[in-house]
Amino acid sequence: MVGNLYRTFTEKLRKPLVFGLFGGTGCLVAATILGEVWLWLTHRPPGREPQAVVLAIDTSSSMSGGKLSEVQMAASGFVDRQDLKVHELGVVEFASSARILTNLNAEESEVQQAIANLQTSGTTNLDQGLNAATSVLGNTNLGANILLFTDGQPNNKARARSIARQIRQAGINLVAVGTGDAKVNYLISLTGDRDLVFYANSGEIDNAFRAAERVIYGQQLVESDRSGDYGLIFGIFRIGVWTGWLALGTAIALIVGQNRTLRRRLLTRREGLVGGGGGFLAGFTGGAVGQFAFLPTVYLPALSLVARLTGWTLLGTLVGGGMSLFVPNLPRDKALMAGAIGGILGAIGFLLLDAVVGVVLGRLAGAAILGFCIGLAIAAIEQLNREAVLWVRWTESEFTTISLGKKPIEIGSAQTAHVYLPKDGGFPEKFARLFVEEGKVILEFDPAIQQLPKYQNMKIFRQELPNGSRRQFGTVSLEIQQKN
């Protein structure tokens, strides 16, 4: 009794870990050899068109109480991340009136000092702030941008809206970050584009500045450093191919892991084509959907996170569903659910590592976590949903478990058999099969075995095996366990 409990516990723990390790290794190898090479080959350098950016910061009285301090930290970080040998920065503040604090030719230290000296007072004269920012951009030959920050309603909404329209008509890119009582719909009327409006609650202002920076300089789903403009179609294609490589590596590795547990050929040509091709398509779909969802939500950190999770979850769901073709009696719906769970867990690890260890290491370590979680979840779900289990003992210390169900488990000397019996032991390619029928485990021998001298007198080809039944074929021992 104790031995059976220990054996069951060991198998329940062993197979998910093995699948997790295979999935993680496959995903990591594919990410390293194929994924990183693809990203490098298709990378477009940042700043092909240098940008001039004027920070127009609301310093009205409503910005007191720690709000301005948070904006100053976020704006200072924004300045730190810019290469002022390539780009240009200016600072304007507006309250009851507007002041130009630095022009575009200012040194970084001057810009930082201007931000540090900001103080709150007065009302929100937004129209003067926009006019001042426009005048700073008057002599630049670079791409012109105004990055507006405000926390409330302007003194004259109509006049500010009219000036914003003129700014857009002049070819100046107006990007807005709002918080507090700032109305998103009004800010959209200023920018003319919802994708250029970023709303942030207290504690999220730095994220909003970073999201605005991505819009100005360009960024992709799996690259948190600045990069060039890929365009909508190529950007989606590029990330889809990258995630396709990851899913291909994960799927192939899980098939190899499954075959290894069954002691058969690690990978056939058909499995490679079907599993690898299906995995790549699953990954491409997940990545493309994730990138497509990511682009319009980049201005809202919370929704941007949801978009990333959506892509990885879809990738895991499709890979999991595909594994139901290779894991015997793994229901398709359970496989899809397992893949989704693995995708979510892997995505969380991916995003956390990306934020902590940097872009490339984050991608690689995150890929390993993604593959591990998908493999772990698939094996765990398979074991939790077993109707009956076939224990295959190869030697005294080696065993494998296979889920029994409606799909027959093939026994014989064929390379594709689930339970391989050696041909030199007198076993034909098709020897027998095991399946569940109306809640009963059935062992059915292939009638062709009567042609073999050893089985020519066999009369009963179909047997019902009750719980605990054991059968010995050559050196391989089979045991049935059903749920009580």
Side-chain angles (χ1 to χ4, degrees):
M1 180 68 177
V2 175
N4 285 338
L5 289 175
Y6 174 76
R7 184 178 64 172
T8 301
F9 174 77
T10 301
E11 173 62 16
K12 285 184 177 297
L13 182 65
R14 182 176 70 92
K15 188 169 183 178
L17 286 177
V18 168
F19 262 56
L21 290 173
F22 269 89
T25 301
C27 196
L28 175 60
V29 170
T32 304
I33 297 176
L34 300 174
E36 289 303 310
V37 172
W38 169 254
L39 291 179
W40 176 76
L41 289 174
T42 58
H43 181 74
R44 292 179 179 173
R48 291 187 301 163
E49 296 182 4
Q51 302 294 316
V53 182
V54 176
L55 300 176
I57 301 175
D58 182 351
T59 57
S60 59
S61 297
S62 60
M63 288 290 294
S64 59
K67 197 181 297 182
L68 180 60
S69 297
E70 187 179 349
V71 173
Q72 287 172 301
M73 290 182 63
S76 178
F78 178 90
V79 175
D80 277 339
R81 294 189 295 273
Q82 311 313 310
D83 182 357
L84 296 191
K85 294 179 181 178
V86 178
H87 307 294
E88 296 178 343
L89 284 177
V91 180
V92 167
E93 69 165 335
F94 62 93
S96 297
S97 60
R99 284 198 308 150
I100 297 174
L101 302 182
T102 69
N103 285 300
L104 295 178
N105 58 358
E107 298 289 334
E108 181 178 345
S109 58
E110 295 178 65
V111 178
Q112 294 284 22
Q113 189 61 50
I115 293 171
N117 290 340
L118 294 174
Q119 295 184 354
T120 59
S121 67
T123 58
T124 308
N125 202 331
L126 175 58
D127 52 292
Q128 285 193 21
L130 292 175
N131 275 330
T134 304
S135 68
V136 173
L137 292 167
N139 296 321
T140 185
N141 294 319
L142 307 184
N145 304 267
I146 296 175
L147 179 49
L148 166 69
F149 180 89
T150 183
D151 77 327
Q153 301 296 309
N155 297 346
N156 191 324
K157 289 184 179 180
R159 180 166 174 76
R161 188 184 292 113
S162 176
I163 293 172
R165 187 183 306 113
Q166 295 173 31
I167 287 172
R168 299 197 309 271
Q169 290 173 351
I172 297 173
N173 188 36
L174 178 58
V175 183
V177 175
T179 189
D181 294 327
K183 301 300 182 184
V184 171
N185 287 338
Y186 179 71
L187 295 178
I188 293 172
S189 74
L190 296 180
T191 65
D193 188 343
R194 185 178 185 85
D195 290 354
L196 299 180
V197 176
F198 307 75
Y199 186 84
N201 293 314
S202 178
E204 298 178 346
I205 293 175
D206 181 61
N207 287 335
F209 267 88
R210 290 177 182 271
E213 184 179 359
R214 296 184 192 112
V215 167
I216 295 171
Y217 296 105
Q219 183 180 330
Q220 290 214 292
L221 178 69
V222 297
E223 293 172 302
S224 56
D225 55 341
R226 294 191 303 276
S227 56
D229 179 16
Y230 295 94
L232 176 64
I233 302 301
F234 181 69
I236 291 174
F237 174 77
R238 179 173 183 259
I239 298 305
V241 171
W242 181 78
T243 51
W245 295 134
L246 267 62
L248 180 148
T250 303
I252 291 293
L254 291 178
I255 293 171
V256 169
Q258 171 68 13
N259 287 338
R260 181 180 178 276
T261 63
L262 297 178
R263 283 195 158 196
R264 61 184 186 183
R265 186 176 175 181
L266 294 181
L267 187 70
T268 65
R269 179 178 296 180
R270 177 183 175 278
E271 288 171 337
L273 291 174
V274 174
F280 183 84
L281 289 176
F284 182 87
T285 302
V289 169
Q291 176 70 5
F292 183 76
F294 172 73
L295 291 174
T297 61
V298 68
Y299 62 93
L300 288 176
L303 289 182
S304 176
L305 179 63
V306 171
R308 291 172 182 259
L309 289 173
T310 298
W312 294 122
T313 303
L314 181 59
L315 183 156
T317 301
L318 295 176
V319 171
M323 285 305 299
S324 65
L325 300 174
F326 302 97
V327 179
N329 293 301
L330 174 61
R332 181 69 55 82
D333 59 336
K334 304 300 183 183
L336 292 168
M337 180 177 68
I341 293 171
I344 292 172
L345 294 175
I348 293 172
F350 186 102
L351 295 172
L352 288 176
L353 282 169
D354 180 54
V356 173
V357 302
V359 181
V360 176
L361 287 179
R363 279 201 300 263
L364 295 179
I369 291 177
L370 181 70
F372 178 85
C373 290
I374 291 174
L376 181 75
I378 289 172
I381 291 291
E382 180 216 356
Q383 293 187 343
L384 289 173
N385 289 275
R386 284 174 164 174
E387 187 176 355
V389 183
L390 172 66
W391 286 80
V392 183
R393 184 172 293 280
W394 310 102
T395 66
E396 286 298 320
S397 59
E398 293 183 82
F399 58 86
T400 299
T401 62
I402 304 175
S403 296
L404 293 175
K406 293 181 180 180
K407 181 178 179 180
I409 300 302
E410 302 292 341
I411 305 171
S413 61
Q415 288 294 326
T416 56
H418 298 102
V419 179
Y420 177 76
L421 302 178
K423 194 170 185 178
D424 57 11
F427 294 100
E429 290 191 353
K430 292 184 177 182
F431 177 68
R433 57 184 193 158
L434 275 164
F435 54 91
V436 175
E437 184 178 86
E438 297 180 352
K440 300 176 182 179
V441 177
I442 305 298
L443 172 63
E444 186 176 79
F445 292 94
D446 193 299
I449 67 174
Q450 281 187 313
Q451 300 174 10
L452 301 174
K454 187 176 180 180
Y455 301 102
Q456 61 183 2
N457 295 323
M458 177 175 281
K459 303 297 182 184
I460 301 176
F461 294 92
R462 183 182 172 97
Q463 303 174 11
E464 178 186 333
L465 301 183
N467 188 32
S469 296
R470 295 185 180 184
R471 294 291 186 273
Q472 186 80 28
F473 300 114
T475 60
V476 179
S477 174
L478 307 181
E479 180 181 339
I480 305 298
Q481 280 193 3
Q482 291 179 281
K483 286 188 176 181
N484 297 325

